[in-house]
Amino acid sequence: MKIKGRVLLVAAVVLSIAGCGQDEDKTAAQSPDATKVTVTSLEAGEVSVTRSWPGRVVALRTAQIRPQVGGIVTARLFAQGSEVKAGQPLFQIDPAPFRAEVAMAEATLARAEASHRQLQQKANRLSQIQHSGAVSRQDFDDALANSAQAAASVAEAKASLQRKKLDLAYSTVKAPVSGRIDQEFVTEGALVSAADTQAMAIVQQTEKVYVDARLPASELRQIIDSPTADEPSPNALRVSLLDEAGKPYDVQAKLLFSGVSVNNETGDVVLRIVADNPARVLLPGMYIRVSITRHIAKNGLVIPGQAIQRLDDGNYVWTVDGDGAARKIGVELAGESGQGEIVKSGLQAGTRLVVEGQDKLQEGMRVTAVPLKPRA
């Protein structure tokens, strides 16, 4: 009985040792869980850079209506807030004094012309008999001088008459440019003069308007001088004007010029846009936003900024190859767009890019790729 018990005990120990060995082998056969990373598949598409800045609307032309002669305003000849044409009468200054001055100037001219005819005829007669000795050389010279002075008086009287007629014409104040006229600043019965500092009204040409935006010189360079992957085209630069809610105005706008100098105090430059304004929705003095989109490439790649690792010797990203291994790839960037960083070289469409979890990766490490969930 003792021998049989010992045999059973040895068998139990052997089975126990064998079981432990099997457990160890099973544990050794199991590989640790692969590192989980979040990836996104790169897709090629149109790449552009968009920037926006505050801007202010400026009328294409602004004319302050001022009198060129003095007098009493007798009539306003326009409707306030209406469209006026160049040369259209706007105000009437009492013309009676100017008509009287024109009549006086006409009389002065007539007297000067009569005197000139008389002295001219006398000089002609003396010229015919001066060789006979009946008239002295001095008398003949005096007659010629008097005739010349009379001719000068005629020219002076004509100039004076022309000036008086011009003053009479200026008594009707006309619009120098076409546009929309604002409210009147003087009324009938007001006394005005050419030395007044207050305008009678203001006409602003607004079928086209300027929009001036001030922006840092560095931002302007990013828009105007951005490198392009495709050949430049006439539509490479798109300009739009936005209201306070961010909605674009239904107007055609284009970049007219950028400032040629930088403000010493602010470091800003002026960007001037010209825009069609047929519906007059853009009013002078209005603040809006100027948005400029620069085309970069038709089939470019944009990657999230969080996927980029930056070192002194360049930029790199982590990708996952077809075998599920992590790969470190250097990339060259061409700038930033509204969607992320623009890739100039180093990546291709279809690459699985790691956007989360790259801090734990090593070259060739097996990973579990989890697709990036789209934002709701």
Side-chain angles (χ1 to χ4, degrees), residues 35-37 318 326 356-363 365 367:
T35 301
K36 290 185 179 180
V37 294
W318 286 97
E356 293 180 3
Q358 60 267 48
D359 295 339
K360 301 173 290 183
L361 298 181
Q362 295 181 1
E363 181 69 21
M365 176 185 292
V367 297

Side-chain angles (χ1 to χ4, degrees), residues 103-351:
M104 292 175 60
E106 289 174 342
T108 300
L109 175 60
R111 184 169 58 252
E113 289 176 339
S115 177
H116 175 251
R117 284 194 298 271
Q118 181 184 12
L119 294 175
Q120 182 65 44
Q121 291 172 358
K122 180 179 180 180
N124 291 338
R125 287 194 299 269
L126 292 181
S127 66
Q128 295 174 0
I129 63 175
Q130 64 170 331
H131 300 292
S132 64
V135 61
S136 66
R137 180 65 184 180
Q138 182 64 47
D139 291 340
F140 178 65
D141 290 341
D142 291 342
L144 290 177
N146 291 335
S147 177
Q149 289 180 359
S153 297
V154 170
E156 182 181 5
K158 286 182 178 180
S160 178
L161 176 60
Q162 185 177 4
R163 177 62 192 180
K164 300 303 181 184
K165 287 183 177 180
L166 193 59
D167 288 344
L168 177 59
Y170 284 157
S171 67
T172 301
V173 182
K174 299 179 181 180
V177 297
S178 299
R180 178 166 293 181
I181 192 165
D182 212 335
Q183 76 269 23
E184 62 178 5
F185 297 117
V186 297
T187 60
E188 294 87 341
L191 176 62
V192 296
S193 71
D196 289 346
T197 58
Q198 174 64 56
M200 302 177 75
I202 296 178
V203 175
Q204 294 178 313
Q205 200 170 60
T206 56
E207 73 274 8
K208 285 188 176 183
V209 294
Y210 295 129
V211 180
D212 291 339
R214 295 187 177 274
L215 59 148
S218 59
E219 294 188 19
L220 175 66
R221 186 166 59 251
Q222 292 175 8
I223 287 293
I224 304 300
D225 300 331
S226 292
T228 58
D230 299 335
E231 292 295 326
S233 65
N235 297 323
L237 203 64
R238 298 193 299 270
V239 181
S240 57
L241 306 179
L242 312 177
D243 61 15
E244 62 277 3
K247 297 177 59 178
Y249 288 99
D250 186 18
V251 297
Q252 296 293 325
K254 66 177 181 178
L255 177 64
L256 191 61
F257 69 87
S258 59
V260 296
S261 61
V262 179
N263 187 290
N264 294 332
E265 297 180 357
T266 63
D268 293 344
V269 294
V270 174
L271 199 69
R272 170 155 281 193
I273 311 297
V274 62
D276 294 332
N277 189 32
R280 306 301 194 272
V281 294
L282 300 175
L283 303 178
M286 179 186 292
Y287 285 98
I288 61 176
R289 292 196 68 82
V290 175
S291 176
I292 296 183
T293 300
R294 177 65 182 262
H295 173 79
I296 300 299
K298 292 181 179 179
N299 295 301
L301 295 176
V302 177
I303 61 177
Q306 68 191 64
I308 302 171
Q309 304 290 313
R310 304 182 188 274
L311 295 176
D312 294 337
D313 58 348
N315 304 314
Y316 69 92
V317 295
W318 286 97
T319 64
V320 178
D321 63 14
D323 297 329
R327 300 298 177 189
K328 183 178 178 180
I329 299 178
V331 294
E332 186 178 358
L333 304 176
E336 184 181 355
S337 72
Q339 297 79 31
E341 296 284 345
I342 303 170
V343 177
K344 187 174 182 181
S345 63
L347 294 175
Q348 296 180 350
T351 301

Side-chain angles (χ1 to χ4, degrees), residues 42-110:
L42 298 182
E43 297 180 0
E46 182 175 349
V47 179
S48 60
V49 177
T50 300
R51 295 287 186 274
S52 65
W53 309 274
R56 192 173 188 182
V57 180
V58 180
L60 192 70
R61 293 185 180 88
T62 300
Q64 293 186 344
I65 309 303
R66 297 180 182 273
Q68 294 180 273
V69 293
I72 302 295
V73 177
T74 58
R76 170 171 58 83
L77 307 174
F78 66 91
Q80 300 179 75
S82 64
E83 293 287 332
V84 297
K85 299 293 185 180
Q88 177 178 331
L90 301 178
F91 292 94
Q92 181 62 59
I93 298 174
D94 186 7
F98 304 106
R99 291 198 184 104
E101 291 182 358
V102 168
M104 292 175 60
E106 289 174 342
T108 300
L109 175 60

